[in-house]
Amino acid sequence: MSVLTSPRGKVEVVHCRRTESQDIFCIKNLIRKFTQKLFGRINIIYLLEKANLAVTLCNDKEEIMAHGIFLDYPNWNVAKQDNWVSVFEELDNEIPCTPLNTLFMHFFVAVDEYSTGCLKEIIRTVFKAVPDLYFIFLIVPTYVSLGSTLITVFDLVGNIPCLTYDEDFAVHICHRHDHYPQLHIRKARVEDHDDLMPIFMHHDNTLREIYGEYFLAELIEAQDEENHAVVCEVEGKAVGFMSVCSSVNLPLLHECFDLGPFHGFCVPHPDDLLEPSRESSFKESQDTETKSESQGSQKAAEEPGGNASSEALETQVRDMTSPGLRDGDGPGYCDIESVRVTTESYHLLQKGPAHTQVVRSPQNTVPVLHPPPSLLHIPALEKAKAGEVAHRKLIRQFKVAEEAHRLHTLKCTSMLLPALIGPCYTTETPVAVSCPLVWVQDELSFTLLPPVWLEQSKWPKVRTHVRLDSIMRYSNSLEEEPFQVFLMINDSRIKRDVEQKLSMVSNVDDEELTLNSESSLPSFLFPEESSHFRPIYLGECSAFCIQLFCIDEKYEARSLDFMSFVFSLFPDKNFCLISVPHLTPEFVLIQNFVKVVPFNNCTLEHDLYVFHRAGLLRSIKIRLASFVDTVGVENLVSTLVLSRQILDDFTQYNEACRDPDGTALQVFVAEVADQIVGIAVIRKEMDIEYIRSHYNIEDFIYFSHHQQEEHGRLNHFALNPIFRHYTKFFLKEILRLGFKSCLYYPIYPQSREKKIQNSYAHSLTSALHYLVPVRPRRQIVYPLEKLGINAPSKEVSKDQPSYALNHTNRKLTLEPKVTVNARIVVVGASSVGISFLETLVFCSHLKFNNLTLISTHGLPGKKLLGSEQRKFLASDHCFNDKDYALMSLCSWVNVVVGRMTGIDRAAKHVVVSKNEIVFYDHLILCTGQQYQVPCPTGADINKHPTSREVVENRELRYTGKVPHNLFILNDEEDCVKALIWMRSNSILTEGKVIVYGNTIDAYTTVETLLHTGIKGMCIYLVHPPADSNITCFNNYVIESAVQDALSAAGVTVYKDSLLAQWNDGQDPDPIHSASFTTSTKPFRLECSAFFSFYKKNVDYETFKAFNDACLVYDGRLVIDTTFHTNDIAIRAAGSLTKFSNRYYSNEWTHSNFSSKEIGFQLAAAMLSLFDPTLEPITEPPADLDRLIPMYKGAKIQGGILPGSYHYLHIAKPTIPSPLDVQRSQPDFGSEIITGKANDGTYFRLYMSKHKLVEAITCLSKEPFPVSNYIRLFGQHEQVLNNLCIRFDDKLIPDLYSYFTEPWCMALFHDRFIDLKKELRQILNSKQEADMPSMEQLAYKIEDEEINLNEKPQKYLQRVFEDSIYKNLLEKSILDYLHYNQYHLPMYAWPGII
């Protein structure tokens, strides 16, 4: 906030923000004739689309006071967009302007009275927002004066001619030092104490309480060769402080973090042990042979010595990146494996590992929690106070309380406290801190992740859904036999076991089981993994750490100014290290650092960051590649898996600048000190119409303002991690030099021929988090034959492999993301959990670094069963395999494969598979309910008991040996495992199968078994006694059709039968027979396989984890209306939960609602903790706090039933009741039914008394467009083309055909809901001064304030047709059809007829 005063003395409180699209109208009102003379005739929307930075100044009433637009190239066409630097060097070679430090003002308007103050405030904001910016140029015609406002900021440099016509333009410049200068850094002095203490004490007094009132002065006095204190000053006053220390506890860092990529922060030593011998670990040697799928590994060795000067740094970079160095070649050498700093690593560092990460202790050892050393230990202070009397002792020793980081509510940019990692000290006094501070480690480390699948080899005894699949794809990329690499690294026993399992897979027909190159493998095929080798470094430490840091908020944007000075204090150190607690928001200083990923067994409570000395260089240059760059590019990408593809593209560009098929190709390189440190490959985006129609890119751009040639596809991106903080600049330069406005990067879910781009192996990961993920659009399923020539173009309707899309544009290159380092752990890959993660991932302005999913089989969506195959389990239609491919959650979420077996609420970690731990700050429980092993009652059927006599035993939990031919199917992996087992044991041709259950899954499983070839006479469908009179279909017509189909197939059905014994009470493994009791006489069935769908319940191990953690459990996990359990850090959602009894709503649970909507609402509730753009949540009134939330999304289930019936049921969330009971209610609406169930043509629509569609039931022999029908839910019958009137007039014999007619395609469009909202907004708005809005008029009629002589509906219709609303609505509808004509070409509008 700033205060502006006009010449007349008026005062306005103003603030700056990014320009939004709704500002355009007000901005246009500020344009004057003088504005057009200065900047020309400008299309504001177009200019905003192409701007790198647009700033709007508002007052406290949100009225727009001023606006400025800035781009990275000149206006008025005085120089080419890609070659303006040389022009400005000729103009004045004393101004060192570069693309990195220069922007151009293309537009400025302001309220006249405050124009000067507004301009200065905007300029200051721009310099503050872009730390690398030093010059802003303004170019205007020479015959136009700047006026009284602009001349106060800009100085004349000279004149340059226009390229297009004969006219000169004046160039004016604005310097940073006049508005937001670089800070002066110097050594701290004791007299700085009085200036600095208010900054420290503004947020917290913890340091003073621990170390005494003069701790800062004592710290400054205690400086020596190892400890330094520096300050930044403005006008002679200290406004920031940094304490640095060269003492780093490397052994602890080596234990907790992977320091290999930076040679362990040590000077290379001839005796360094960088890789294991083949004798010790053949597997590890295999890992190093495969070039480590690191995607961006750079040859970057750290040169000891040097200082912070640019010349020395450039020399050092040349030494580090010089080719040909080998072990023993000198101090500049760093083994390639030790510097596997990769683009993928950077993606993982910034956003959290994109793949499985398991917290595990070393093999064959008991997990040990390593307590971190003293948090508030400052060595310099300890030296200063050593020997003083006890009552003056300021250095206290204490252990880290759990609250020390949990209670952090402080602003992290304001202060950094002493280090976590220092010499080990005994501790006594626990301290709880609840202050605006950032805890920083005394001695820290930095590391980058090694290649993904190599990283996973560190995890002993872990089964992961990534490992084998990644290696398979990697071997395929090397044109080797699939699984060759994997089988080479395992012993013969494991090899035989996997070969046997794979042979089982290969024996299954493609129609029954699809396990090919386009699908992942089920996790049960994966072996256990061995321990990982850790290098040993013997050289001197080459790192120092920041142990205390604070700066006035007013100057925090210049925090990086400290770095050059502190590096000069340690000329022999190359790395600066820092750490902050997980819950600390990312502040300005560490935005230029690189985040460290810990080892799996790291228990430190801090995130680690590193900054390399060479990162201070400002001489980075981005340019188009040429032949002379060949050697540098080869050195840069030599360790990448995709190096061959990158080099092929590089060669193709140098030879032809386009692909053989004619696609334009561009290759850019980043150069520092005459060395190639980065490369990017882009192509012209040829599928832009497909992207526009299938992805919501219009959330980020106005598509019509971007030419087709301005869209590019980013194929490869690799950047030396030392310069990672220049990634956005690299992308910005690609757009400028390539004449592009948008870049797209697809992530394919699997390797494909000639497209080895997938979420496990792609070369862009260092830039991925500077892009935004783009939500996919729901597609209409078109009746193409019926539409004929009115169908969408092939570019829109074509079917091509699904991929997740990421995007950036010119507007996003200078827009920061809010980083969230909080450890959010989701337990359970249910629809609720996936929806929760999806919502967080697609928050484009947030960057979640620590999202973790714990799941028994990892992420779903592996396409284990083909899309056209029968599925064992019914679907809730929340997500399918294509949806998972479009999300690519594995790019953003850590995946821990295992089962939660415990929760330690005090230590805030989850126990996985009984011996691994995963730490959390926020725990989300979404495990849902699963089918459990049924517990036989034990009744002896020889005694002819009835079910009534044994009913008291039916709720017992089964604790005996689980038979291996008993199948409990809860997910696709379970289904594949059952199918493989049946194939390998000839069950499909010879055996008999019992399916036990009365859920829809039991019916879909029977249909799947029939479809795989099992004869109907060999299948027994046994229904246990029902708990209620509501069946799974709740529709007698459908039940009858399914029963007839079962009878026709020869399937024997038993009803109300309770499982009594397996194998007549003998050893149940394997099951040969099963006995059942009924209400009359018992019976016995032979079987080779037993499928149970008896009851769903919370898994026992999950329940035990809740119970042992003292979470309130009452049949289900108890939550409140905000998803909280009795632990504030633990939330839960889904069928696992129930509402607390204090709400008196036990009949309503999350099971009554859509799982996808529940997950979305859970994420929305949590986003308020992390998203600064959201309004603070106000506490509801006490009486409203007793009301449970009601969600409106449809509850859906569907599947393929016996008889090959395709079944779908969509219904409003409600308390279940029999359909006949519903029909008997007085407020029951109406039904529209066409077709017959037995014929497979049944279609039922139920509409409420308000004529809204609230239930849809389909039973068809032919597949139907499920996604289209889901869009019918909630629509009014008049929107459905007056459905009721047409049906009553017998004009609709078949609803299936009715909903394939061209008129209804708009209803299925994903933006139809937006059209409805827009139309409603028009009707609610007051368009005429003397007339109420249509909504107000309707309320008056309802309240009987208007006396009518006609029916209210006719009156409203007459008023509507005579008013302006009719024209407004028609225009809105036509605009909607015109804007979306690529999806809806079947509609006509004025102008095309």
Side-chain angles (χ1 to χ4, degrees):
M1 292 284 185
S2 299
V3 178
L4 301 182
T5 303
S6 71
R8 293 189 297 174
K10 291 185 178 180
V11 175
E12 287 281 0
V13 178
V14 298
H15 65 277
C16 285
R17 59 169 173 80
R18 299 266 173 168
T19 302
E20 301 172 353
S21 58
Q22 57 263 34
D23 299 337
I24 294 174
F25 177 79
C26 296
I27 293 171
K28 288 181 177 179
N29 291 336
L30 294 176
I31 297 177
R32 306 288 185 262
K33 289 184 179 180
F34 180 68
T35 307
Q36 294 183 357
K37 291 181 180 180
L38 285 173
F39 302 105
R41 293 183 178 272
I42 289 176
N43 184 327
I44 297 297
I45 300 177
Y46 177 83
L47 191 59
L48 286 174
E49 280 298 294
K50 302 303 173 68
N52 297 100
L53 182 62
V55 179
T56 297
L57 188 75
C58 302
N59 61 15
D60 53 357
K61 300 176 183 177
E62 287 303 316
E63 297 171 340
I64 294 179
M65 304 285 291
H67 172 72
I69 298 178
F70 303 85
L71 279 78
D72 55 2
Y73 59 87
N75 54 342
W76 287 113
N77 201 23
V78 298
K80 290 184 178 180
Q81 173 177 320
D82 61 336
N83 191 31
W84 61 263
V85 177
S86 59
V87 175
F88 280 72
E89 286 178 348
E90 293 177 2
L91 178 67
D92 189 341
N93 57 13
E94 293 184 0
I95 300 177
C97 58
T98 66
L100 176 65
N101 64 21
T102 303
L103 285 177
F104 296 84
M105 177 182 279
H106 280 227
F107 184 75
F108 173 78
V109 290
V111 175
D112 295 336
E113 191 171 0
Y114 299 91
S115 58
T116 301
C118 289
L119 174 62
K120 292 181 179 180
E121 186 64 24
I122 285 182
I123 292 295
R124 182 180 178 278
T125 299
V126 171
F127 278 121
K128 184 176 181 180
V130 188
D132 292 321
L133 180 65
Y134 282 84
F135 309 107
I136 298 177
F137 284 99
L138 173 65
I139 301 173
V140 300
T142 53
Y143 61 84
V144 178
S145 65
L146 288 186
S148 60
T149 298
L150 293 172
I151 202 170
T152 62
V153 170
F154 290 94
D155 299 321
L156 181 65
V157 177
N159 296 338
I160 54 177
C162 179
L163 297 179
T164 53
Y165 47 90
D166 186 17
E167 185 177 345
D168 288 346
F169 288 83
V171 179
H172 300 78
I173 191 172
C174 172
H175 295 271
R176 163 180 286 279
H177 58 73
D178 294 327
H179 299 275
Y180 197 77
Q182 188 172 349
L183 299 176
H184 172 62
I185 311 297
R186 59 169 174 79
K187 292 290 291 289
R189 300 187 290 262
V190 175
E191 50 266 33
D192 296 323
H193 175 273
D194 292 343
D195 292 336
L196 295 172
M197 282 305 294
I199 302 175
F200 279 89
M201 296 303 105
H202 175 68
H203 296 286
D204 186 76
N205 60 359
T206 303
L207 280 175
R208 184 169 60 183
E209 292 177 356
I210 294 175
Y211 293 106
E213 184 175 358
Y214 300 100
F215 75 92
L216 191 58
E218 293 161 357
L219 180 61
I220 295 173
E221 282 184 330
Q223 296 183 72
D224 54 26
E225 293 182 356
E226 293 186 353
N227 299 276
H228 297 277
V230 299
V231 297
C232 61
E233 69 174 12
V234 175
E235 297 178 353
K237 180 181 179 181
V239 295
F241 176 84
M242 179 180 288
S243 173
V244 290
C245 177
S246 63
S247 177
V248 177
N249 190 345
L250 282 183
L252 180 59
L253 298 183
H254 281 244
E255 181 181 353
C256 297
F257 302 94
D258 179 13
L259 307 186
F262 286 90
H263 207 79
F265 301 133
C266 296
V267 176
H269 190 280
D271 297 328
D272 288 340
L273 185 59
L274 303 179
E275 61 181 31
S277 64
R278 289 183 176 269
E279 293 79 5
S280 64
S281 176
F282 182 73
K283 173 184 180 302
E284 292 299 327
S285 67
Q286 177 65 36
D287 284 343
T288 57
E289 283 175 5
T290 52
K291 298 173 76 174
S292 66
E293 209 174 26
S294 48
Q295 312 309 320
S297 182
Q298 314 297 332
K299 294 182 179 180
E302 286 66 54
E303 178 76 15
N307 52 44
S309 70
S310 177
E311 293 79 4
L313 288 175
E314 293 184 3
T315 302
Q316 183 178 356
V317 173
R318 283 193 290 270
D319 291 340
M320 288 190 297
T321 56
S322 58
L325 293 177
R326 295 293 182 267
D327 195 6
D329 283 351
Y333 167 71
C334 184
D335 182 84
I336 290 301
E337 282 302 305
S338 72
V339 291
R340 50 185 185 275
V341 181
T342 71
T343 55
E344 178 146 7
S345 300
Y346 265 92
H347 153 45
L348 302 180
L349 282 173
Q350 300 164 46
K351 204 56 180 166
H355 308 282
T356 310
Q357 185 175 10
V358 179
V359 181
R360 177 183 291 280
S361 60
Q363 192 174 15
N364 300 325
T365 64
V366 178
V368 178
L369 296 180
H370 305 280
S374 173
L375 265 180
L376 294 182
H377 167 73
I378 302 179
L381 274 182
E382 188 161 283
K383 292 180 181 179
K385 302 302 296 180
E388 289 196 9
V389 294
H391 74 277
R392 287 283 298 154
K393 184 175 182 180
L394 300 177
I395 309 300
R396 301 182 182 179
Q397 299 170 333
F398 54 87
K399 60 184 178 180
V400 181
E402 280 300 318
E403 302 298 317
H405 82 278
R406 183 166 49 161
L407 297 179
H408 277 317
T409 57
L410 17 138
K411 190 160 181 184
C412 58
T413 55
S414 59
M415 185 178 295
L416 294 176
L417 280 189
L420 172 74
I421 303 177
C424 295
Y425 298 92
T426 58
T427 59
E428 298 173 1
T429 309
V431 172
V433 180
S434 57
C435 51
L437 304 175
V438 174
W439 302 95
V440 183
Q441 297 182 355
D442 185 3
E443 299 161 356
L444 310 168
S445 78
F446 168 73
T447 183
L448 291 174
L449 276 182
V452 173
W453 64 267
L454 179 62
E455 174 77 358
Q456 293 167 352
S457 67
K458 301 176 185 179
W459 307 328
K461 292 185 179 179
V462 63
R463 299 193 315 170
T464 164
H465 80 290
V466 174
R467 168 75 172 144
L468 178 57
D469 198 22
S470 299
I471 297 180
M472 178 191 72
R473 290 195 295 274
Y474 176 76
S475 63
N476 287 339
S477 70
L478 300 179
E479 299 181 354
E480 299 174 355
E481 291 296 323
F483 309 108
Q484 177 182 354
V485 175
F486 170 76
L487 294 176
M488 286 172 57
I489 63 175
N490 289 275
D491 59 34
S492 57
R493 179 182 58 81
I494 297 178
K495 179 176 179 179
R496 286 194 303 271
D497 180 58
V498 174
E499 286 177 337
Q500 179 183 6
K501 293 176 180 177
L502 292 175
S503 66
M504 296 174 189
V505 175
S506 63
N507 289 334
V508 181
D509 294 337
D510 289 340
E511 190 178 10
E512 296 161 355
L513 178 64
T514 301
L515 282 172
N516 50 34
S517 62
E518 295 190 4
S519 63
S520 303
L521 293 176
S523 61
F524 62 84
L525 290 180
F526 304 145
E528 294 180 349
E529 307 201 20
S530 59
S531 60
H532 178 70
F533 166 80
R534 296 187 182 180
I536 298 175
Y537 308 99
L538 302 178
E540 294 294 326
C541 174
S542 185
F544 67 94
C545 66
I546 299 173
Q547 61 179 357
L548 190 62
F549 172 70
C550 73
I551 191 169
D552 191 319
E553 293 180 19
K554 186 177 179 181
Y555 304 100
E556 64 182 359
R558 301 304 309 171
S559 299
L560 197 63
D561 293 343
F562 277 98
M563 300 309 298
S564 179
F565 189 87
V566 296
F567 269 108
S568 68
L569 299 176
F570 301 104
D572 60 335
K573 306 293 185 183
N574 289 325
F575 300 97
C576 178
L577 312 172
I578 192 172
S579 80
V580 294
H582 298 301
L583 294 181
T584 301
E586 192 174 75
F587 50 96
V588 174
L589 179 65
I590 62 173
Q591 287 175 358
N592 296 279
F593 284 57
V594 178
K595 187 171 181 286
V596 181
V597 174
F599 281 133
N600 304 314
N601 60 345
C602 176
T603 60
L604 300 179
E605 296 295 322
H606 284 215
D607 290 317
L608 308 181
Y609 296 83
V610 68
F611 186 88
H612 192 276
R613 176 187 295 272
L616 295 172
L617 291 173
R618 295 292 183 267
S619 60
I620 186 169
K621 178 182 179 182
I622 314 299
R623 59 175 173 80
L624 285 167
S626 63
F627 272 115
V628 298
D629 301 321
T630 302
V631 175
V633 171
E634 288 176 349
N635 289 336
L636 179 72
V637 304
S638 61
T639 56
L640 304 186
V641 170
L642 298 186
S643 60
R644 186 71 268 154
Q645 286 84 348
I646 296 176
L647 292 175
D648 288 346
D649 286 343
F650 176 78
T651 303
Q652 183 69 30
Y653 167 74
N654 283 319
E655 290 177 352
C657 293
R658 61 185 62 249
D659 286 332
D661 63 0
T663 304
L665 173 68
Q666 291 176 302
V667 179
F668 299 90
V669 294
E671 187 178 45
V672 176
D674 299 324
Q675 297 294 311
I676 303 301
V677 298
I679 185 172
V681 179
I682 70 170
R683 286 175 167 83
K684 180 181 177 182
E685 181 54 71
M686 304 303 293
D687 282 337
I688 189 59
E689 286 300 327
Y690 177 87
I691 289 177
R692 182 193 185 189
S693 60
H694 284 71
Y695 298 88
N696 277 305
I697 59 171
E698 286 163 310
D699 287 348
F700 305 99
I701 63 173
Y702 280 101
F703 185 84
S704 58
H705 289 279
H706 298 262
Q707 302 298 318
Q708 184 168 356
E709 61 271 12
E710 291 184 301
H711 298 276
R713 173 169 291 202
L714 192 53
N715 289 91
H716 302 288
F717 187 101
L719 181 64
N720 190 310
I722 289 174
F723 306 102
R724 190 270 308 179
H725 52 292
Y726 288 130
T727 302
K728 275 195 171 184
F729 172 68
F730 198 169
L731 293 172
K732 182 170 73 74
E733 283 295 276
I734 290 173
L735 294 172
R736 181 180 69 87
L737 298 173
F739 292 89
K740 304 295 182 187
S741 59
C742 300
L743 288 179
Y744 306 93
Y745 178 69
I747 302 178
Y748 290 93
Q750 284 89 29
S751 298
R752 304 178 187 278
E753 185 179 1
K754 297 183 180 179
K755 278 188 180 179
I756 309 184
Q757 295 177 325
N758 56 76
S759 38
Y760 305 121
H762 51 82
S763 65
L764 182 64
T765 44
S766 67
L768 189 58
H769 292 288
Y770 297 96
L771 310 181
V772 292
V774 186
R775 279 189 177 273
R777 296 180 62 179
R778 184 183 57 257
Q779 297 299 301
I780 302 172
V781 180
Y782 296 99
L784 296 177
E785 293 183 2
K786 199 166 185 176
L787 291 174
I789 62 173
N790 292 322
S793 65
K794 292 183 179 179
E795 286 76 14
V796 173
S797 61
K798 67 181 178 181
D799 187 19
Q800 68 176 40
S802 301
Y803 56 82
L805 185 69
N806 298 274
H807 164 75
T808 192
N809 57 58
R810 298 184 62 85
K811 294 183 295 184
L812 297 176
T813 54
L814 293 179
E815 184 171 331
K817 288 186 177 183
V818 177
T819 299
V820 180
N821 285 326
R823 297 168 297 184
I824 302 175
V825 176
V826 179
V827 182
S830 62
S831 295
V832 173
I834 297 299
S835 178
F836 171 81
L837 290 171
E838 176 197 32
T839 305
L840 296 187
V841 163
F842 282 100
C843 288
S844 58
H845 61 291
L846 301 179
K847 183 174 69 174
F848 289 91
N849 280 341
N850 288 320
L851 293 177
T852 302
L853 172 68
I854 301 174
S855 173
T856 307
H857 297 132
L859 280 169
K862 304 186 183 75
K863 289 189 177 179
L864 301 180
L865 295 170
S867 58
E868 299 302 323
Q869 298 169 209
R870 300 295 193 269
K871 306 285 187 178
F872 281 90
L873 301 175
S875 172
D876 61 3
H877 291 285
C878 289
F879 300 99
N880 55 35
D881 290 336
K882 185 174 182 179
D883 295 327
Y884 294 120
L886 294 171
M887 288 188 287
S888 186
L889 286 180
C890 55
S891 296
W892 312 97
V893 180
N894 307 310
V895 177
V896 178
V897 179
R899 185 186 298 273
M900 180 185 70
T901 55
I903 302 174
D904 189 328
R905 291 169 54 191
K908 299 188 78 170
H909 69 243
V910 175
V911 181
V912 180
S913 301
K914 296 185 178 179
N915 61 350
E916 293 141 15
I917 57 175
V918 178
F919 288 90
Y920 68 85
D921 297 309
H922 301 279
L923 181 61
I924 312 299
L925 302 174
C926 304
T927 57
Q929 294 183 324
Q930 297 80 33
Y931 293 112
Q932 306 297 323
V933 176
C935 181
T937 61
D940 186 355
I941 65 171
N942 294 323
K943 298 180 181 180
H944 303 286
T946 63
S947 296
R948 186 176 302 175
E949 299 172 18
V950 296
V951 69
E952 65 273 8
N953 296 327
R954 58 189 290 191
E955 300 296 337
L956 295 178
R957 184 176 67 88
Y958 182 76
T959 57
K961 182 179 181 181
V962 178
H964 71 270
N965 61 340
L966 169 65
F967 298 103
I968 311 297
L969 307 184
N970 287 303
D971 55 35
E972 198 171 35
E973 298 233 8
D974 295 335
C975 300
V976 173
K977 186 175 181 179
L979 195 54
I980 291 175
W981 184 89
M982 289 195 297
R983 170 62 72 181
S984 63
N985 290 276
S986 302
I987 303 300
L988 300 181
T989 57
E990 302 175 4
K992 295 183 178 180
V993 179
I994 296 176
V995 179
Y996 182 58
N998 50 20
T999 65
I1000 188 174
D1001 293 321
Y1003 289 99
T1004 55
T1005 296
V1006 169
E1007 167 60 17
T1008 302
L1009 295 175
L1010 290 170
H1011 187 72
T1012 54
I1014 299 181
K1015 297 179 181 178
M1017 64 182 66
C1018 297
I1019 301 175
Y1020 305 110
L1021 178 57
V1022 182
H1023 294 309
D1027 292 331
S1028 71
N1029 58 348
I1030 305 172
T1031 64
C1032 62
F1033 301 116
N1034 198 15
N1035 189 317
Y1036 177 75
V1037 174
I1038 292 178
E1039 292 170 16
S1040 299
V1042 173
Q1043 292 300 328
D1044 292 344
L1046 289 171
S1047 300
V1051 177
T1052 305
V1053 180
Y1054 298 88
K1055 295 185 177 181
D1056 295 329
S1057 304
L1058 193 61
L1059 178 63
Q1061 288 181 334
W1062 285 316
N1063 298 344
D1064 298 322
Q1066 304 301 316
D1067 184 4
D1069 190 18
I1071 300 174
H1072 298 297
S1073 66
S1075 304
F1076 300 87
T1077 58
T1078 67
S1079 57
T1080 55
K1081 62 179 181 179
F1083 61 92
R1084 182 176 180 273
L1085 300 174
E1086 302 291 334
C1087 69
S1088 301
F1090 192 104
F1091 289 82
S1092 177
F1093 301 95
Y1094 177 44
K1095 275 188 176 182
K1096 281 190 174 183
N1097 208 337
V1098 177
D1099 179 76
Y1100 176 73
E1101 286 189 346
T1102 304
F1103 158 74
K1104 191 172 185 303
F1106 298 157
N1107 191 62
D1108 293 345
C1110 297
L1111 296 178
V1112 177
Y1113 191 92
D1114 181 16
R1116 298 186 190 182
L1117 189 60
V1118 176
I1119 60 171
D1120 62 15
T1121 56
T1122 58
F1123 303 95
H1124 282 102
T1125 63
N1126 57 304
D1127 188 324
I1128 194 65
I1130 301 178
R1131 293 170 173 83
S1135 59
L1136 163 74
T1137 65
K1138 62 166 290 187
F1139 290 112
S1140 172
N1141 289 335
R1142 64 191 176 98
Y1143 298 110
Y1144 298 98
S1145 297
N1146 288 336
E1147 67 276 14
W1148 285 100
T1149 70
H1150 285 176
S1151 300
N1152 299 101
F1153 304 103
S1154 165
S1155 297
K1156 191 171 185 178
E1157 185 177 12
I1158 291 291
F1160 170 80
Q1161 295 293 343
L1162 171 60
M1166 284 202 64
L1167 281 176
S1168 60
L1169 301 176
F1170 312 116
D1171 191 347
T1173 65
L1174 297 178
E1175 294 292 334
I1177 297 179
T1178 56
E1179 291 294 329
D1183 52 343
L1184 290 181
D1185 187 44
R1186 299 292 180 177
L1187 300 177
I1188 64 171
M1190 300 300 292
Y1191 307 112
K1192 298 179 180 180
K1195 182 82 172 171
I1196 308 171
Q1197 68 174 5
I1200 304 178
L1201 305 178
S1204 296
Y1205 290 117
H1206 294 261
Y1207 171 71
L1208 174 69
H1209 181 66
I1210 306 169
K1212 176 184 177 181
T1214 184
I1215 299 173
S1217 62
L1219 181 58
D1220 292 338
V1221 174
Q1222 297 176 29
R1223 287 170 172 162
S1224 64
Q1225 298 300 315
D1227 59 349
F1228 183 77
S1230 59
E1231 294 177 295
I1232 294 179
I1233 300 175
T1234 63
K1236 295 182 179 180
N1238 288 326
D1239 297 338
T1241 59
Y1242 181 83
F1243 199 124
R1244 173 182 178 265
L1245 282 177
Y1246 165 72
M1247 282 168 288
S1248 69
K1249 62 180 181 180
H1250 302 295
K1251 300 299 181 181
L1252 297 176
V1253 176
E1254 291 189 350
I1256 304 169
T1257 306
C1258 301
L1259 191 72
S1260 172
K1261 285 283 189 179
E1262 300 296 329
F1264 47 78
V1266 174
S1267 60
N1268 286 1
Y1269 295 166
I1270 292 175
R1271 304 306 306 159
L1272 298 176
F1273 177 80
Q1275 304 290 357
H1276 194 276
E1277 65 90 14
Q1278 288 186 344
V1279 176
L1280 305 181
N1281 210 359
N1282 293 313
L1283 177 64
C1284 292
I1285 296 176
R1286 290 175 179 271
F1287 182 76
D1288 293 339
D1289 292 342
K1290 303 188 184 306
L1291 299 177
I1292 306 177
D1294 178 20
L1295 284 173
Y1296 289 104
S1297 177
Y1298 182 72
F1299 289 120
T1300 59
E1301 294 177 4
W1303 66 265
C1304 63
M1305 293 299 108
L1307 305 183
F1308 306 142
H1309 195 263
D1310 62 323
R1311 293 176 180 165
F1312 183 70
I1313 187 173
D1314 297 326
L1315 173 65
K1316 291 175 62 178
K1317 291 178 179 178
E1318 183 179 338
L1319 298 180
R1320 186 174 184 87
Q1321 186 176 4
I1322 292 174
L1323 293 175
N1324 292 346
S1325 62
K1326 190 172 182 179
Q1327 300 292 336
E1328 297 175 297
D1330 299 331
M1331 290 290 295
S1333 68
M1334 295 300 298
E1335 183 183 47
Q1336 293 171 343
L1337 194 61
Y1339 278 124
K1340 288 184 177 182
I1341 295 175
E1342 179 69 19
D1343 296 337
E1344 298 182 352
E1345 295 180 12
I1346 301 177
N1347 296 322
L1348 299 178
N1349 296 324
E1350 57 186 326
K1351 291 184 177 180
Q1353 186 174 356
K1354 287 186 177 181
Y1355 172 77
L1356 287 173
Q1357 184 172 353
R1358 179 171 56 80
V1359 172
F1360 170 76
E1361 292 178 351
D1362 294 339
S1363 68
I1364 193 175
Y1365 291 101
K1366 184 175 185 294
N1367 292 332
L1368 292 175
L1369 261 63
E1370 288 178 351
K1371 182 180 182 302
S1372 180
I1373 294 171
L1374 290 174
D1375 289 344
Y1376 163 79
L1377 293 175
H1378 185 268
Y1379 192 76
N1380 296 287
Q1381 57 87 22
Y1382 55 90
H1383 270 151
L1384 304 171
M1386 66 288 302
Y1387 291 89
W1389 64 87
I1392 70 168
I1393 300 177

